[in-house]
Amino acid sequence: MKIVVAQPAARWYKQEMELCEGDSLRFFVRLGGHGSVQPGFSLGVMKDTPRSPALKQVVEGILFYIEEDNVWYLEEKELHVHYDESFEDIRYELV
C-alpha cells in the first residue's frame, strides 16, 4: 500500500486550501459520500498534524498522509491522487 500524489494535484491543494511549505494534509475515512471502495464510506481531506501516519508522501513541500487507523479503507491498494483538468478538480484512483 502507498499514497501517490501527482504534482498538479499537490499544486491544486496548495492553492485551494492555502497551504504553505511544511503543512500536512490528511486523507481520512468518513461516513457517507460517493466512495467506490467501501460501501457507505468515502475519503475526506483536511489540514492536520500527523500522529501515526501509515502512508505518506511529500510533494510540493506538503506532507500528504493517511493515519494507521484509516488504511483499512484502501484494501491493500495504492491511493493515486490526480488533478483532472477537464473538471478542474481532484480525482482519486485506487490501483
Side-chain angles (χ1 to χ4, degrees), residues 25-95:
L25 199 67
R26 176 170 63 104
F27 293 102
F28 63 94
V29 178
R30 64 187 185 129
L31 185 60
H34 297 286
S36 59
V37 181
Q38 301 285 349
F41 296 94
S42 61
L43 281 179
V45 63
M46 68 183 289
K47 183 178 172 183
D48 201 359
T49 302
R51 290 177 254 327
S52 297
L55 306 174
K56 57 188 174 180
Q57 182 188 18
V58 176
V59 185
E60 292 280 320
I62 307 299
L63 171 66
F64 294 88
Y65 70 100
I66 298 175
E67 293 283 353
E68 286 180 10
D69 60 351
N70 279 201
V71 293
W72 61 269
Y73 181 82
L74 301 180
E75 292 186 335
E76 301 298 319
K77 296 179 179 147
E78 295 179 3
L79 172 63
H80 290 242
V81 183
H82 304 279
Y83 174 70
D84 188 330
E85 289 184 27
S86 61
F87 292 103
E88 297 181 352
D89 205 354
I90 294 297
R91 180 174 51 87
Y92 300 121
E93 177 183 21
L94 288 176
V95 182

